Amino acid sequence: MKKLSRRDFLKFGSAAAASATLGLSPFGSMLTSAQDAELSLQTWGHFISSSNDLLTSLVNSWAASSGTSVEINYTGFNQLADTLATGAATGAGPDLIMMLHARPHQFSEALLDVSDVVEEVGEANGGWYGIAEEACKVDGVWRSMPWFLAAHAMVYRTDLFAEAGYDTFPETWDDLLVAGTALKEMGAPLGFSVGRADGDGNNFCYSLLWSFGGAVTDADDNIVLDSPETRAALEFVQQLYNDAMIDSVITWDDGANNRAFLAGEVSCTNNASSILWAGRRDGIEFMSSTNHASYPSGPAGLLQFSQVHSVGVMNYAADPDAAKDLLRYINSPQVWQPMGLNTFAFNYPLFQNYEDDPSMPWNFDPALGAFRGLPETGHTMGFPGNPSAAASEVASSFVITDMFGSVCAGAASIDEAIETAIEQIEDIYSS
């Protein structure tokens, strides 16, 4: 097992018809494990809450037919990280754990090799997107089953942008600054998390850093954060915060931007589709004027951080074959057909068979069209260097979001913020 430092430990302390239609194998019938197996799965409690009930129902149905008992525990992002680190350190905990980003690299020695089932599922479903390999394949070995991309876009109020003189969403960050300045003067500021939000904060900060040409490491994994490009990104976010954003973004968690948008406090944020879903569910009037758009481009182009969700089998699991059967099932048409619809484009498959599927929300709901094809262009932490345990820890320790947040808050100068971040990065990469 990978030896974890004390710092690490404390820090992290329907369906058959659908199969035929898609021409896919009904994986739920391809069982290899013994009957009467018992499994435990810890996964994320979905922002689209009905998806938790649906997943439980689907897994219970599979469990009944396969003779496998499955206990599912839904938790938040931070709790998932804590459970993963604790299980890796102690050799006890849930058999299967969902993880974000490149954490399969961070905890690879605590995760079983699941290459056989991952390759089987990928081959049957048109192949995996490159982002799936970036996040889940460690030294040629699949340490986690790619499950879905939490597809992110700009979610914005078309009515307010039109009032500010914009009929389409700005294509560049510079143009968004101009638009956002006008919107804030109207009382409708922008809101992008520069707080410790594992999903939304990392997504915004890494995407902005990369699009300005900045990076934590280069292709040879040299630390290159101190660069003119990083300074330009920090200067930009400082101006964006002062001129165009709501003040509270410094302390936002992953649910704060959803709440702010739904309360009418901001005109734009970065998010998956859960804001639109919740607004339509609750009958919020301005949802008819809510749309999604691609992230803006920067001097280096459009480069977007992608939030990969995967499920790994811990090396202490008592029944690895049963665990692999469950991995196979959750990526089967029996699950993806209903879940793809229910998650409202939030859950985007990391294999390619559903890209053009007319039943998937991004292909029939115009407000969700901006999500289509996102797995093709996204990257995970480490880019343009290599996904690694260190790159994953940099993100999970909020080094980059803290760098951006400290500059916005005026708690550090740009020089001080970069210097602090580099000290933390060097410590992580050298440990």
Side-chain angles (χ1 to χ4, degrees), residues 34-122:
Q35 299 291 294
D36 302 320
E38 295 183 359
L39 295 172
S40 55
L41 165 65
Q42 183 157 327
T43 187
W44 165 62
H46 211 293
F47 285 123
I48 298 178
S49 56
S50 60
S51 297
N52 300 329
D53 295 333
L54 176 58
L55 180 63
T56 297
S57 176
L58 291 166
V59 170
N60 285 345
S61 177
W62 171 82
S65 65
S66 67
T68 302
S69 171
V70 182
E71 177 185 356
I72 305 179
N73 182 28
Y74 295 97
T75 60
F77 287 146
N78 292 337
Q79 289 79 13
L80 284 175
D82 291 342
T83 303
L84 179 60
T86 301
T90 65
D95 300 299
L96 302 99
I97 302 176
M98 175 194 268
M99 58 199 77
L100 270 67
H101 314 314
R103 290 201 177 115
H105 293 261
Q106 192 171 355
F107 297 98
S108 61
E109 294 181 33
L111 298 167
L112 290 181
D113 179 354
V114 290
S115 299
D116 52 352
V117 65
V118 173
E119 290 172 0
E120 171 195 309
V121 170

Side-chain angles (χ1 to χ4, degrees), residues 412-424:
S413 68
I414 289 175
D415 286 341
E416 291 168 339
I418 293 174
E419 182 180 356
T420 298
I422 289 176
E423 288 176 357
Q424 294 173 313

Side-chain angles (χ1 to χ4, degrees), residues 218-235:
D218 63 16
D220 296 318
D221 288 337
N222 300 306
I223 298 171
V224 294
L225 187 64
D226 190 354
S227 68
E229 292 79 10
T230 296
R231 293 174 185 277
L234 289 169
E235 289 170 359

Side-chain angles (χ1 to χ4, degrees), residues 13-43:
S14 113
S19 302
T21 300
L22 291 172
L24 304 176
S25 300
F27 291 125
S29 65
M30 299 171 62
L31 301 175
T32 59
S33 62
Q35 299 291 294
D36 302 320
E38 295 183 359
L39 295 172
S40 55
L41 165 65
Q42 183 157 327
T43 187

Side-chain angles (χ1 to χ4, degrees), residues 12 125 221 321:
F12 289 107
N125 286 277
D221 288 337
D321 286 337

Side-chain angles (χ1 to χ4, degrees), residues 121-190:
V121 170
E123 183 178 354
N125 286 277
W128 295 105
Y129 286 108
I131 185 76
E133 292 202 28
E134 282 186 29
C136 302
K137 202 170 189 179
V138 184
D139 296 328
V141 175
W142 290 94
R143 292 294 177 182
S144 188
M145 166 70 85
W147 197 6
F148 64 89
L149 181 76
H152 265 237
M154 296 284 115
V155 52
Y156 71 105
R157 293 273 302 272
T158 59
D159 54 341
L160 295 175
F161 271 72
E163 186 178 343
Y166 292 85
D167 294 329
T168 59
F169 193 81
E171 294 185 358
T172 69
W173 286 111
D174 284 340
D175 289 341
L176 182 58
L177 171 61
V178 175
T181 301
L183 285 157
K184 187 172 183 178
E185 290 173 353
M186 289 167 43
L190 312 179

Side-chain angles (χ1 to χ4, degrees), residues 134 206-207 209-225 227 229-230 300 303-305 378-388 391 400 429:
E134 282 186 29
Y206 274 91
S207 297
L209 178 67
W210 293 343
S211 69
F212 272 76
V216 175
T217 59
D218 63 16
D220 296 318
D221 288 337
N222 300 306
I223 298 171
V224 294
L225 187 64
S227 68
E229 292 79 10
T230 296
L303 293 164
Q304 185 171 341
F305 176 90
H379 297 283
T380 192
M381 61 268 303
F383 177 82
N386 301 299
S388 65
I400 301 304
Y429 270 79

